[in-house]
Amino acid sequence: MRAVARAQPNIALIKYWGKRDSERNLPAVGSISVTLDELFTRMSVQLSDSPGADTLTVNGEPSAKMLPRISRCIDRVLGENRPAANVASDCNFPIAAGLASSASAFAAAVIATAAAAGREFSSAELASLAGAASGSAARSLYGGFVELENSDDDDISVSSLAAPDDWPLSVVVAITSSDSKPLGSGEAMERSRETSPFYANWVSNQGVDLDAARTAIAERDFRSLATVAEHNCLKMHSVMWASRPAIVYWNSATLNCLQTIRALQADGVDVFFTIDAGPQVKAICAPGAEADVRAALDAADGVQATMRSGLGPGAVVEQAA
Ligand code: PMV
């Protein structure tokens, strides 16, 4: 009746931004991400013998804020008429600051809950369950390069485009603030859909970027992947900046990091940036580039710390009893 699962966050190279059905949390666009290795959420789900109130600790502290979302996620996996769950989540990186902590948390929650209850689900069912909790969580079920397809069906589908070892890129994350983000991604996406004059264009052009990224990954063409990923990231933030009220997650150090990465590129270093719903900058590095990139970002004004990670596997159940 207890299971522990571990899942890594993922970083989108072609972004998910916007919902076509907010009730069922279905994305308006497809997306492509890389799953990380060294950053993770480990989640223990213990099911009691009877119904009752769930409990949740995050890094050892009770978390009233996340509890309703975790409870709803467990409801979706087991149905509402279910035993109470005691959930303990531990995360080795800052939460809710644009580092996709919800992706690793909900991927881990879904598979730990299923294992604790002894339930088997197909990979499509797991993707829908994780995606219903957090759109990006479905991608953390798989390792390496992962595509989430947006179709007209009610379900989402997720597939692996390449394994971590097929193209061992690495990621340097520059932390420019450890504050919680001012606006959650779900609310920000809805505001973008309702108010941004660029939103419809964002949605209709996504297929072009997905095609370019898929080809670049298949051909291990770093420069082409860099070009389309940076374009897609800046386009997503342009949608947000043009929303009303504007959604600006960046701070001055975010921009310093972008300039640092531009300078590295001018020196021939194979690196590109991406930024999610937060002020941190993720620098994606070709094999061999990481040391120079990390040193440069550590020295950028306003960077508090850097972390690094290779590409890693999908979510796994570590223990079930
Ligand atoms: O899965 P959510 O609801 O936390 O949204 C993720 C949104 C971005 O991180 C900005 C983009 C993405 O594809 O991960």
Side-chain angles (χ1 to χ4, degrees):
M1 295 300 263
R2 174 171 179 266
V4 179
R6 173 182 158 142
Q8 287 66 235
N10 65 77
I11 306 289
L13 306 181
I14 303 298
K15 307 293 189 186
Y16 152 50
W17 194 253
K19 301 175 197 293
R20 78 182 135 91
D21 183 332
S22 54
E23 285 279 290
R24 286 174 298 166
N25 210 34
L26 295 171
V29 291
S31 54
I32 291 178
S33 59
V34 285
T35 302
L36 303 183
D37 193 2
E38 265 147 62
L39 315 178
F40 62 84
T41 301
R42 178 171 280 125
M43 196 163 298
S44 153
V45 175
Q46 172 137 38
L47 297 174
S48 64
D49 297 330
S50 50
D54 298 330
T55 64
L56 171 68
T57 61
V58 176
N59 294 337
E61 299 289 327
S63 173
K65 193 168 162 233
M66 275 294 277
L67 180 58
R69 277 183 80 187
I70 287 284
S71 288
R72 274 202 305 280
C73 174
I74 298 173
D75 285 348
R76 278 189 291 263
V77 180
L78 300 181
E80 283 177 24
N81 188 9
R82 62 167 173 86
N86 296 319
V87 181
S89 176
D90 289 289
C91 187
N92 71 345
F93 59 97
I95 293 172
L99 271 173
S101 56
S102 64
S104 52
F106 289 109
V110 165
I111 66 164
T113 302
R119 297 275 300 273
E120 303 252 334
F121 292 96
S122 69
S123 50
E125 286 168 331
L126 290 174
S128 288
L129 289 165
S134 174
S136 55
R139 299 187 311 238
S140 278
L141 294 170
Y142 291 86
F145 296 78
V146 179
E147 176 164 9
L148 186 151
E149 276 175 72
N150 171 50
S151 66
D152 288 336
D153 302 338
D154 284 356
D155 294 331
I156 53 170
S157 68
V158 189
S159 57
S160 169
L161 296 175
D165 293 344
D166 289 343
W167 199 15
L169 306 184
S170 67
V171 182
V172 175
V173 181
I175 308 286
T176 65
S177 166
S178 46
D179 297 344
S180 288
K181 57 189 168 194
L183 186 66
S185 53
E187 212 181 314
M189 285 181 201
E190 286 300 90
R191 188 187 296 174
S192 295
R193 183 176 62 78
E194 285 161 6
T195 68
S196 180
F198 302 157
Y199 182 79
N201 244 290
W202 156 257
V203 172
S204 63
N205 285 319
Q206 185 80 340
V208 178
D209 292 358
L210 287 166
D211 286 347
R214 225 181 278 118
T215 305
I217 291 166
E219 294 174 356
R220 317 280 189 263
D221 178 349
F222 191 84
R223 300 265 161 106
S224 297
L225 186 60
T227 303
V228 68
E230 288 188 351
H231 167 69
N232 190 265
C233 163
L234 294 175
K235 203 161 53 175
M236 176 184 77
H237 285 277
S238 304
V239 171
M240 295 186 208
W241 285 34
S243 298
R244 293 183 144 180
I247 304 157
V248 179
Y249 285 115
W250 301 15
N251 58 34
S252 56
T254 311
L255 209 47
N256 291 340
C257 291
L258 260 52
Q259 281 166 345
T260 300
I261 290 169
R262 284 280 183 258
L264 287 162
Q265 290 170 335
D267 283 347
V269 178
D270 274 334
V271 59
F272 66 86
F273 63 79
T274 192
I275 306 162
D276 293 300
Q280 329 303 1
V281 175
K282 290 97 181 202
I284 317 293
C285 308
E290 182 187 316
D292 286 345
V293 171
R294 190 163 189 187
L297 287 172
D298 271 328
D301 254 5
V303 170
Q304 297 178 351
T306 57
M307 300 185 296
R308 63 84 51 196
S309 178
L311 304 192
V316 288
V317 175
E318 292 185 324
Q319 276 175 46

